[in-house]
Amino acid sequence: MMSEGSSFMKGLILGGIFCLVMSYFETFNPGVHSESHQHLHHHLKPLSKDELQKLSESQMSELTQQVRVYCLIMVTPKLLVHWVTVNDTWSKHCDKSVFYTSESSKAVEGFDLQEQDEWARLRKAIKHAYENAGDLRWFFVARPTTFAIIENLKYLVLDKDSSQPFYIGHTEKSGELDYVEYDSGIVLSYEAVRRLIEMFKDEDKCPERGRALWKMPEEKQLATCLKYSGVFAENGEDAQGKGLFNKKSTSSLISDSMGQNPADVVEACCSDMAITFGGMSPSQMQVLMFGVYRLRPYGHDFHDSLTFLPPKDSDND
Amino acid sequence: MTQPPHLESRTQHVRDTWGKRCNIILYMSSKESDFPTVGLNVSEGRSQLYWKTIRAFQHIHKHHLDDADWFLKADDDTFVVLENLRYGLSKHNTEEPLYFGRRFTPFVKQGYMSGGAGYVLSKEALRRFVKGFADGLCTHNTELEDTGLGQCMETMRVRTGDSRDVLRRQTFHPYPPYYYLPRQLPRPRPWYLLYEHYDPVEGPGCCSDLAISFHYIDAVGMHTLEYYTYHLRPYGYKYRFNPDNK
């Protein structure tokens, strides 16, 4: 009995050491899982000013036409005020925006998925969006507590080929999994969505209703399914390396910066070309809408290389 | 206008944001300091506010009359966009007796300008204000700084200007943006709009794109507005409001 017990213990210890060694190897070789994707970096930046200026007017015009965004805003009747506010603010700047809801609301229009499970709902929404994309090639998924500046999103992906798999946002790591945080918004290229929908068919790798004892949040389920189809999370940042996707609100970020960088609060805080802010209340979103699209000092000209026109039938931008 | 206990919590943030855009900025206080603050011969407190304002303008008239064209009074919790102030004033003549701000209606026949939202005097208006006190035509007849100044302006025949933009939207604001911008169903005037001289508009039409001031802005709010005004922007966006192209 004793010798069997000690063999078992030796086996257990050896197995444990083997596991530790293997996981160490993986962390030292991040390139190991990059064999099937075309781009090897995990930080994604917009075109530089110089590169933009090299483009001809017709190239510029073509790129501006091509970079069109389908916004999927995942709502529930509980978030009605946010839903209505997003409908009245930033979503007007998407080329198409659809509010995918768990159940219908009498107060406002939305696409009723009749689904209470969040992951199942996200899958259905993505499938519907893909089937109804028309000639739109970029998808942006957000909760109604997030505010997005779509023009800056377009600027970020302007030179990226949507027929390549892109999965962009603020990236976090959970063990070996790099995933894009939901609260700061998720950007997917057409090809990424195409592969994802294919992977949805695989009930083993990408189940609709998880079989785990605990429920993995949708953002990680999404990352897992995408990883299996060779699509990897990339962190969106500006030329200076500042994150463009934020899960905190503007005032929260400014407040943090006041503590960390009192001499240079705004410079150190957030990018001029920020794309998202999470955790925004409805009235904060109304103010941010004004702050982004209207409030400005007279006489400052930016000489941007692109032009985005204001949306029709809108009075708050 | 500031005071010793506010230098770190408020005034510093004015200095770190919009203060540097003034041609000259003077921090008026009861005590002189290395901040630097100008020490006026007054004590602090709401009851002394009009005295403080009178002394401040007398100081400026004495020492800085020729150093500037227009004279803005703001509080240490007012956020000001200097470029938009200059733009708004550009079509006016500083030798005329004029002053601008958020026009309120009661107490003074021609109306008066809200103190918190900030107001700006032409050079002639400043001369007349100081002369009014020198000649005894204006007196310290109230503790309310904005009403008092408004009364003296009327006595000295200084006109209340209209600071709204070409679309009749307000530029000076006595409260923060979130009071005005959210859409509202048609309703009777809320308390903070009771004194309005011009018909108030709630929702997006409340406020000019080229807003000049917001008030009751705390330290975080100052830097947030600085970020919104001077940094955060939508790349390539063609703004709707182009006042020069009309």
Side-chain angles (χ1 to χ4, degrees):
Chain A
M1 276 302 270
M2 277 299 273
S3 63
E4 276 172 2
S6 72
S7 299
F8 176 74
M9 284 310 293
K10 278 183 203 155
L12 195 65
I13 290 164
L14 267 173
I17 292 169
F18 183 74
C19 269
L20 277 169
V21 168
M22 286 315 288
S23 60
Y24 264 122
F25 269 117
E26 269 209 63
T27 39
F28 282 126
N29 291 304
V32 138
H33 53 243
S34 69
E35 72 289 19
S36 61
H37 69 129
Q38 323 285 61
H39 36 267
L40 299 172
H41 47 262
H42 294 283
H43 299 271
L44 199 110
K45 296 186 186 203
L47 264 180
S48 75
K49 214 168 173 172
D50 295 327
E51 288 168 316
L52 261 174
Q53 278 167 358
K54 285 196 198 127
L55 297 173
S56 71
E57 270 219 41
S58 61
Q59 279 175 311
M60 197 73 77
S61 175
E62 210 188 302
L63 287 176
T64 316
Q65 291 301 329
Q66 278 171 21
V67 65
R68 302 177 71 221
V69 180
Y70 188 123
C71 294
L72 297 80
I73 302 119
M74 306 301 294
V75 297
T76 62
K78 244 190 263 174
L79 291 170
L80 188 65
V81 187
H82 282 90
W83 177 347
V84 169
T85 305
V86 173
N87 193 29
D88 184 41
T89 58
W90 64 264
S91 68
K92 291 188 277 190
H93 290 248
C94 305
D95 294 281
K96 182 174 173 139
S97 59
V98 178
F99 291 81
Y100 291 98
T101 179
S102 55
E103 50 186 287
S104 61
S105 162
K106 289 202 181 95
V108 64
E109 242 184 75
F111 191 92
D112 188 2
L113 294 168
Q114 292 167 347
E115 175 63 69
Q116 288 301 322
D117 180 79
E118 286 126 334
W119 171 232
R121 198 157 71 230
L122 184 57
R123 289 169 63 118
K124 287 186 179 166
I126 290 173
K127 264 193 251 173
H128 178 268
Y130 183 76
E131 282 155 19
N132 292 275
D135 55 4
L136 304 185
R137 289 289 171 269
W138 290 95
F139 299 87
F140 175 64
V141 188
R143 291 189 166 127
T145 45
T146 303
F147 188 102
I149 304 170
I150 300 299
E151 287 80 4
N152 292 347
L153 192 154
K154 291 186 175 186
Y155 178 52
L156 177 67
V157 301
L158 187 72
D159 64 320
K160 280 57 175 182
D161 184 359
S162 60
S163 65
Q164 290 294 311
F166 284 96
Y167 165 42
I168 311 162
H170 173 79
T171 53
E172 284 293 338
K173 214 173 170 61
S174 174
E176 281 314 305
L177 184 71
D178 280 332
Y179 65 95
V180 167
E181 236 171 23
Y182 204 155
D183 280 335
S184 36
I186 304 169
V187 180
L188 291 162
S189 68
Y190 191 79
E191 174 62 13
V193 174
R194 191 195 65 76
R195 293 192 190 188
L196 179 66
I197 290 173
E198 269 306 300
M199 191 52 63
F200 282 165
K201 296 175 186 164
D202 189 330
E203 266 296 309
D204 280 313
K205 295 207 179 106
C206 187
E208 186 167 15
R209 322 257 161 197
R211 273 169 278 111
L213 288 169
W214 65 94
K215 262 224 281 179
M216 206 174 23
E218 316 91 280
E219 56 195 1
K220 291 186 189 169
Q221 301 224 44
L222 182 67
T224 306
C225 294
L226 281 166
K227 189 172 177 177
Y228 277 125
S229 34
V231 184
F232 303 94
E234 289 183 280
N235 197 54
E237 40 195 66
D238 68 10
Q240 287 78 45
K242 278 194 202 149
L244 294 170
F245 296 85
N246 301 285
K247 74 162 184 230
K248 286 183 168 185
S249 67
T250 48
S251 45
S252 186
L253 291 164
I254 292 282
S255 185
D256 289 348
S257 190
M258 283 171 69
Q260 287 159 19
N261 311 283
D264 227 352
V265 177
V266 174
E267 283 297 324
C269 162
C270 324
S271 178
D272 286 15
M273 297 290 131
I275 296 172
T276 59
F277 296 99
M280 301 286 290
S281 74
S283 78
Q284 282 178 322
M285 288 209 253
Q286 297 280 15
V287 175
L288 184 53
M289 189 73 178
F290 175 73
V292 171
Y293 291 105
R294 297 174 55 202
L295 179 65
R296 62 195 182 278
Y298 177 80
H300 288 219
D301 285 314
F302 295 105
H303 307 293
D304 290 335
S305 309
L306 304 170
T307 302
F308 294 115
L309 296 177
K312 290 194 176 79
D313 304 321
S314 181
D315 65 351
N316 57 359
D317 53 20
Chain B
M1 305 295 290
T2 188
Q3 46 180 292
H6 287 180
L7 293 183
E8 210 183 295
S9 55
R10 296 188 186 199
T11 329
Q12 182 180 256
H13 302 286
V14 167
R15 184 173 60 184
D16 290 344
T17 57
W18 62 269
K20 56 185 183 284
R21 299 190 182 97
C22 304
N23 297 88
I24 302 176
I25 183 159
L26 295 172
Y27 298 99
M28 300 297 191
S29 174
S30 53
K31 281 200 180 62
E32 193 185 314
S33 77
D34 288 337
F35 185 84
T37 53
V38 174
L40 304 167
N41 190 15
V42 287
S43 45
E44 298 295 353
R46 244 195 140 71
S47 63
Q48 298 297 300
L49 193 52
Y50 191 28
W51 274 123
K52 200 170 169 186
T53 309
I54 294 163
R55 297 278 175 255
F57 278 121
Q58 285 169 336
H59 173 97
I60 290 173
H61 181 269
K62 186 173 181 186
H63 299 283
H64 297 284
L65 189 62
D66 296 320
D67 293 342
D69 303 309
W70 295 88
F71 304 87
L72 170 79
K73 185 231 76 148
D75 292 348
D76 53 20
D77 56 353
T78 309
F79 180 84
V80 182
V81 186
L82 265 301
E83 291 86 341
N84 295 344
L85 178 61
R86 289 192 184 96
Y87 177 65
L89 293 172
S90 61
K91 46 190 176 286
H92 296 286
N93 183 353
T94 195
E95 296 299 333
E96 282 191 29
L98 278 175
Y99 80 125
F100 295 94
R102 179 73 167 230
R103 198 166 169 187
F104 278 177
T105 274
F107 314 128
V108 181
K109 218 157 115 220
Q110 69 167 1
Y112 65 98
M113 302 308 179
S114 150
Y119 47 76
V120 57
L121 273 60
S122 70
K123 193 172 284 196
E124 181 58 22
L126 175 57
R127 286 193 198 105
R128 291 193 188 192
F129 181 70
V130 172
K131 188 164 202 299
F133 276 90
D135 295 348
L137 292 166
C138 295
T139 59
H140 184 275
N141 56 354
T142 175
E143 282 179 359
L144 303 170
E145 158 251 339
D146 47 13
T147 320
L149 188 126
Q151 191 66 69
C152 181
M153 294 284 112
E154 185 164 89
T155 304
M156 301 307 291
R157 318 269 255 333
V158 175
R159 296 192 308 273
T160 44
D162 182 354
S163 59
R164 296 175 300 169
D165 71 12
V166 291
L167 295 179
R168 303 255 185 90
R169 298 176 309 193
Q170 294 280 6
T171 54
F172 289 83
H173 305 278
Y175 289 94
Y178 70 88
Y179 272 68
Y180 307 104
L181 286 164
R183 294 187 200 276
Q184 305 287 351
L185 291 170
R187 59 176 187 171
R189 291 191 188 193
W191 61 270
Y192 51 89
L193 291 175
L194 284 173
Y195 285 1
E196 294 294 317
H197 177 90
Y198 302 108
D199 277 333
V201 176
E202 296 200 272
C206 67
C207 316
S208 177
D209 289 21
L210 303 182
I212 292 172
S213 73
F214 290 100
H215 179 231
Y216 289 121
I217 306 299
D218 65 7
V220 174
M222 286 278 175
H223 294 285
T224 305
L225 281 172
E226 176 83 3
Y227 178 56
Y228 289 179
T229 312
Y230 295 96
H231 293 266
L232 182 63
R233 65 189 189 85
Y235 188 82
Y237 187 67
K238 196 160 185 298
Y239 295 109
R240 270 188 216 280
F241 180 63
N242 297 293
D244 298 333
N245 303 341
K246 289 224 175 277

